[in-house]
């Protein structure tokens, strides 16, 4: 599973002022990641605002990224939800030939038990012809997927190859790293603790800030994978404030503000999300100038 080592980025969906998809900006964005050392691309994850895209728009975004990437980097496709049967049907009816894995979020809103989560991902694993990366993000789903459930899935299904662990809990991350099967990957879903997780035996990160600062962040994670602690932390402290800034008023509004300052995409988001405040935008501008 070396394809998922290092830094993956959860791509935004760029919008024009009229809220239609900006495909030229999407092309710039993908090339910016590839040119600056990112290891793999995550398509239509949470940061891509798939909740407010139509089925046709999601397909168009997917095809554009496939075309621009042109096989240069591995790609992961977000397919998840809180209706297990619908997720299974989507997996079965999606052409996954261009993708190296799917990223599937733990069911949200329904608040299933740990057994419910296990049975959900059992159905996903049995339906998927390609590797599955579990996604634990209790801040969005309202329910933590416990390490025991993740390890159970990792042991029971050969194609469940990794977890994007975004509980923001370093102790939970250490439990996962301690007890995981040898080839199972623990990928940070939290930019602030991505480096300590990597140094502790994790496989890297699926990042948001890495999309705005791909060169710095991917280099930092690579140093972490190589065990070069001092050099890695020097970079971590250099970019640390920006991680707070991009999440201060929600994702992806924060990262889109940064990408707007970098002349890659606009800062437009779709309701119910709104662009960041002028005060936060100024903080992001000042950070980039100093960097």
């Amino acid at each position: 599973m070396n394809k998922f080592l290092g830094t993956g980025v959860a791509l935004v969906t760029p919008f024009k002022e009229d809220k239609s998809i900006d495909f030229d900006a999407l092309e710039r964005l993908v090339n910016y990641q590839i040119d600056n050392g990112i290891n793999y691309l995550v398509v239509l994850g949470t940061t891509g605002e798939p909740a407010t895209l139509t089925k046709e728009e999601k397909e168009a975004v997917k095809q554009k990224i496939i075309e621009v990437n042109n096989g240069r980097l591995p790609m992961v496709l977000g397919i998840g939800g809180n209706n297990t049967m619908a997720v299974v049907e989507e997996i079965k009816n999606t052409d996954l030939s261009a993708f190296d894995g799917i990223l599937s979020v733990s069911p949200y809103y329904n608040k299933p038990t740990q057994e419910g989560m296990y049975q959900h991902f059992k159905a996903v694993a049995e339906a998927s012809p390609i590797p599955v990366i579990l996604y634990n993000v209790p801040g969005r789903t309202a329910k933590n997927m416990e390490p025991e459930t993740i390890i159970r899935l990792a042991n029971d299904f050969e194609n469940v190859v990794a977890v994007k662990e975004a509980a923001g809990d370093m102790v939970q991350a250490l439990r996962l790293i301690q007890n995981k099967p040898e080839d199972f990957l623990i990928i940070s879903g939290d930019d602030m603790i991505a480096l300590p997780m990597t140094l502790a035996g994790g496989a890297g990160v699926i990042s948001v800030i890495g999309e705005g600062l791909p060169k710095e962040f991917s280099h930092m994670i690579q140093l972490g994978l190589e065990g070069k602690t001092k050099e890695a932390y020097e970079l971590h402290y250099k970019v640390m404030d920006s991680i707070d800034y991009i999440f201060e008023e929600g994702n992806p509004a924060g990262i889109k503000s940064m990408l707007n300052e970098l002349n890659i995409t606009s800062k437009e988001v779709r309701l119910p999300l709104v662009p960041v405040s002028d005060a936060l935008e100024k903080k992001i501008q000042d950070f980039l100038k100093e960097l």
Side-chain angles (χ1 to χ4, degrees), residues 159-201:
N159 64 336
V160 175
V161 299
V163 61
K164 178 185 177 185
E165 174 53 46
D169 182 338
M170 195 61 200
V171 174
Q172 180 158 302
L174 291 172
R175 294 277 181 225
L176 285 166
I177 293 166
Q178 177 190 35
N179 296 310
K180 72 180 186 69
E182 186 178 350
D183 295 332
F184 189 74
L185 305 180
I186 311 300
I187 299 168
S188 177
D190 186 314
D191 285 336
M192 193 61 86
I193 61 172
L195 178 58
M197 278 181 67
T198 302
L199 287 165

Side-chain angles (χ1 to χ4, degrees), residues 212-213 216 238-239 241-242 245 257-258 260-263 278-291:
L213 305 174
E216 294 85 353
K238 192 174 177 183
V239 303
D241 287 347
S242 70
Y245 297 157
S257 176
M258 179 177 280
N260 181 59
E261 292 303 316
L262 294 166
N263 297 313
D278 291 345
L280 180 54
E281 191 169 37
K282 177 73 163 55
K283 283 199 257 188
I284 291 170
Q285 288 170 351
D286 290 345
F287 172 84
L288 288 172
K289 282 176 191 168
E290 194 174 325
L291 187 71

Side-chain angles (χ1 to χ4, degrees), residues 51 53 63 181 270:
L53 299 177
Q63 291 305 323
R270 281 186 178 174

Side-chain angles (χ1 to χ4, degrees), residues 2 6 50 54 118 148 157 184 186 195 203 211 216 244:
N2 288 340
T54 66
Y118 176 86
E148 294 78 10
F157 301 98
F184 189 74
I186 311 300
L195 178 58
E211 190 166 5
E216 294 85 353
D244 281 336

Side-chain angles (χ1 to χ4, degrees), residues 4 6 13 55 59-60 67 74 82 112 116 147 151 157 166 190 206 252:
F4 309 132
T13 301
K55 186 178 178 182
E59 186 61 29
E67 173 199 319
N82 61 341
I151 300 302
F157 301 98
D190 186 314
I206 292 176

